[in-house]
Amino acid sequence: VKMASTAEYDYMCPVCHEIFKTPVILSCSHSFCKECLQQFWTTKKTQECPVCRTSSRHQPLVNLALKNLCESFLKKRNEKRSSGSEEICSLHSEKLKLFCLEDKQPVCLVCFTSQQHDNHKFRPLSEVVSSQKEELNTALKSLQEKLKHKENIKGEFEKTLQHITSQAEHTERQIKQQFEKLHQFLRDEEEATITALREEEEQKKQMMKEKLEEMNRHISALSHSIKDTEEMMKASDVCFLKEFPVSMERVQISSQPDPQTPSGALIHVPRYLGNLSFRVWKKMQDIVQNTPVILDPNTAHPDLVLSDDLTSVKWSWNKQPLPDNPERFDCYPCVLGSEGFNSGTHCWDVEVKQSSDWSLGVTTASNQRKGRDFYKTCVWSVWYDQYSLSEQPVFGFRVKQDLERVRVYLDYDRGTVSFSDPVTNTHLHTFTTTFTHTVFPFFCCYTIFTLNILPLQSNLAVH
């Protein structure tokens, strides 16, 4: 074992083998740390020198000269350490070659022999560095994997942010288009109503103009009769008597009844203003539809394309760049309805003609949408695959005939889901269960042919 240098050895306590701390000197001229000497005397129960065993009857004095030398030595060593030599022991200025497993720190060979490290286990520094580098490298790889994972999540967040903007812009365009249709309908209705009003106005005015012309003719004829009668009154007696019969006849003809204002000559105002808003709203039913189930695009598999009004879905060869949000299917080409049901009865018809591979029904809101476990539990459905030879009971009830429409009837309170063919009024299958959670309509489409959710028939009753 390499010992300390001569200069350093001069400053080391013979008991603790460390640089003196508050050195005291005995009458035999040996010096010790004050604390080390007191501990030795307490253990031995006698006041003798730990080196030469000479008894000491007097209390030891502080060795001021040695104390100053030790402080100067420590100062120089600290300055050496602060100069950047990290491989030198701060206590002994020796090169650090060992690693104390108990204290978890590098030590020099002098530390190895010191009392501070009695019964400690040591390993060569290079061996410990190699082991800890391997451990740290494993932890580093884990951090790198976590960083990569978080960067992927960040990418998904950024994609979601972009999708939110795209969704909002697309939805705003659809809102404007829908309202433009309603605005155009109202403008057309306004124009048609005003046109009808103008036509009636023209008819009524034309009728009154004809009556006015007739009255002008009567007035003109009467004016001529008056003028002729007045001239007759000025004639001589003989002429007056001769023309009297003719004059009286003219007066009688001019005294015919006056033309009367015809019935219904005025504008039929109630025809245009009576219940105007209601009549327009009722007529609006011809251009608007009420669909019982609306699809939720946030649940749609990226292979599916939904119509702008969210009432139809079809499969596409081009996978859409959609965010992988928790609500979205990532294995089966499915999509859920936007509204869940937890009570009452609900019914909707789905047009499936031309589609050779489809599945539809209801499922719970909590059912697994990621991976291939969707059909294992909490799915009540019918399915059709024109080319499949397998029954695949896990998918629900298989429909073997080619249908145009399928009707789904959900009675949540009674716990039944029934499927039928509304075209032929044929029952297909009924599931019986007990619902305890909210259920959603679901639709699965494997072909480019569209599944359409049909609108309800309007049954507006006016009382």
Side-chain angles (χ1 to χ4, degrees):
V1 177
K2 182 180 178 181
M3 302 301 293
S5 64
T6 303
E8 185 174 353
Y9 186 80
D10 293 337
Y11 304 128
M12 290 176 61
C13 171
V15 177
C16 67
H17 300 287
E18 300 289 347
I19 304 299
F20 284 108
K21 297 175 182 177
T22 315
V24 294
I25 189 169
L26 299 179
S27 58
C28 62
S29 300
H30 290 126
S31 296
F32 306 92
C33 294
K34 183 179 180 179
E35 184 178 348
C36 292
L37 183 61
Q38 293 295 333
Q39 185 177 359
F40 180 81
W41 282 357
T42 301
T43 303
K44 292 293 185 179
K45 297 182 180 180
T46 179
Q47 291 187 357
E48 61 179 23
C49 175
V51 175
C52 65
R53 306 298 179 181
T54 301
S55 296
S56 177
R57 295 187 179 88
H58 304 285
Q59 287 296 322
L61 301 175
V62 176
N63 191 340
L64 293 176
L66 181 58
K67 182 175 183 293
N68 292 334
L69 288 173
C70 288
E71 289 177 352
S72 177
F73 177 80
L74 289 172
K75 182 178 180 181
K76 289 181 180 179
R77 189 174 63 184
N78 290 335
E79 289 175 351
K80 183 177 181 181
R81 183 183 62 179
S82 62
S83 65
S85 179
E86 296 181 355
E87 297 184 357
I88 301 299
C89 176
S90 61
L91 297 176
H92 310 114
S93 300
E94 292 292 326
K95 193 168 183 181
L96 300 171
K97 291 187 176 182
L98 298 175
F99 187 82
C100 178
L101 298 180
E102 277 73 12
D103 294 335
K104 305 294 182 183
Q105 63 180 13
V107 297
C108 69
L109 295 177
V110 179
C111 295
F112 174 73
T113 62
S114 67
Q115 186 180 12
Q116 180 182 351
H117 295 281
D118 276 353
N119 299 320
H120 287 189
K121 291 183 179 180
F122 298 85
R123 292 288 184 274
L125 203 63
S126 59
E127 180 182 321
V128 176
V129 168
S130 176
S131 173
Q132 292 191 350
K133 277 189 175 180
E134 183 178 348
E135 182 181 349
L136 186 60
N137 189 50
T138 302
L140 178 62
K141 288 181 179 179
S142 176
L143 289 177
Q144 290 171 339
E145 291 175 358
K146 288 181 179 179
L147 175 61
K148 185 177 180 181
H149 178 65
K150 291 183 183 298
E151 287 176 344
N152 290 337
I153 294 177
K154 177 187 175 183
E156 288 297 321
F157 286 173
E158 291 173 345
K159 185 187 296 185
T160 301
L161 182 62
Q162 294 174 357
H163 187 67
I164 290 172
T165 302
S166 175
Q167 269 190 316
E169 292 175 351
H170 178 75
T171 304
E172 182 177 345
R173 286 195 299 270
Q174 294 302 314
I175 291 172
K176 289 182 177 180
Q177 289 179 11
Q178 292 293 327
F179 272 98
E180 178 56 30
K181 290 180 180 178
L182 297 177
H183 293 159
Q184 187 59 49
F185 170 81
L186 292 175
R187 286 193 292 267
D188 292 344
E189 283 299 304
E190 177 186 9
E191 183 178 354
T193 304
I194 292 177
T195 298
L197 173 63
R198 297 295 182 219
E199 290 177 352
E200 183 180 359
E201 176 193 16
E202 190 61 32
Q203 287 179 343
K204 298 296 177 67
K205 286 169 68 174
Q206 183 62 34
M207 180 178 64
M208 292 310 300
K209 285 179 181 179
E210 293 175 356
K211 290 293 183 180
L212 186 59
E213 290 176 359
E214 181 182 0
M215 182 58 72
N216 287 334
R217 289 195 298 271
H218 285 202
I219 292 173
S220 177
L222 187 58
S223 296
H224 283 96
S225 296
I226 293 172
K227 184 178 180 180
D228 291 343
T229 302
E230 289 176 343
E231 290 294 331
M232 189 63 190
M233 294 289 290
K234 297 177 182 178
S236 62
D237 294 344
V238 175
C239 289
F240 174 79
L241 291 175
K242 285 182 178 181
E243 297 295 330
F244 178 76
V246 176
S247 297
M248 284 302 296
E249 185 178 353
R250 289 177 180 173
V251 170
Q252 292 173 354
I253 293 175
S254 301
S255 300
Q256 291 178 354
D258 295 333
Q260 299 297 315
T261 301
S263 178
L266 301 181
I267 298 294
H268 193 342
V269 176
R271 180 182 300 163
Y272 307 101
L273 297 183
N275 291 323
L276 176 60
S277 300
F278 176 78
R279 288 186 290 107
V280 172
W281 170 73
K282 185 178 178 182
K283 194 172 182 181
M284 193 178 289
Q285 291 179 99
D286 296 335
I287 67 165
V288 297
Q289 295 178 334
N290 179 22
T291 306
V293 173
I294 301 299
L295 302 177
D296 182 0
N298 293 338
T299 66
H301 186 279
D303 286 345
L304 297 181
V305 177
L306 275 58
S307 60
D308 288 336
D309 62 359
L310 305 178
T311 62
S312 65
V313 57
K314 67 178 181 179
W315 185 82
S316 171
W317 289 100
N318 299 319
K319 193 169 187 176
Q320 301 178 83
L322 299 173
D324 187 25
N325 48 298
E327 302 86 356
R328 192 177 306 282
F329 287 89
D330 67 352
C331 180
Y332 293 105
C334 295
V335 59
L336 297 185
S338 62
E339 180 183 359
F341 307 119
N342 55 19
S343 64
T345 59
H346 309 273
C347 181
W348 58 95
D349 289 357
V350 184
E351 187 178 59
V352 297
K353 65 180 181 180
Q354 295 184 316
S355 181
S356 59
D357 193 348
W358 51 264
S359 173
L360 54 91
V362 298
T363 185
T364 57
S366 60
N367 194 5
Q368 182 60 254
R369 304 176 196 179
K370 306 296 184 182
R372 306 190 66 85
D373 294 336
F374 173 68
Y375 281 101
K376 289 186 177 180
T377 58
C378 301
V379 174
W380 300 269
S381 66
V382 295
W383 62 281
Y384 174 75
D385 186 349
Q386 182 177 352
Y387 305 105
S388 175
L389 299 178
S390 172
E391 291 294 330
Q392 300 183 39
V394 72
F395 275 34
F397 179 78
R398 181 176 184 180
V399 176
K400 297 184 178 180
Q401 63 268 40
D402 190 8
L403 303 174
E404 289 189 14
R405 297 181 184 179
V406 174
R407 175 167 293 167
V408 184
Y409 184 83
L410 167 66
D411 190 330
Y412 187 96
D413 301 323
R414 291 188 177 182
T416 60
V417 186
S418 298
F419 300 89
S420 61
D421 178 1
V423 176
T424 61
N425 198 25
T426 302
H427 176 260
L428 299 174
H429 188 74
T430 296
F431 292 96
T432 301
T433 185
T434 299
F435 295 117
T436 57
H437 298 86
T438 300
V439 296
F440 282 80
F442 88 90
F443 307 83
C444 191
C445 182
Y446 285 92
T447 70
I448 59 174
F449 297 104
T450 304
L451 299 182
N452 292 307
I453 306 169
L454 301 177
L456 295 173
Q457 296 296 324
S458 177
N459 295 315
L460 181 66
V462 181
H463 300 286

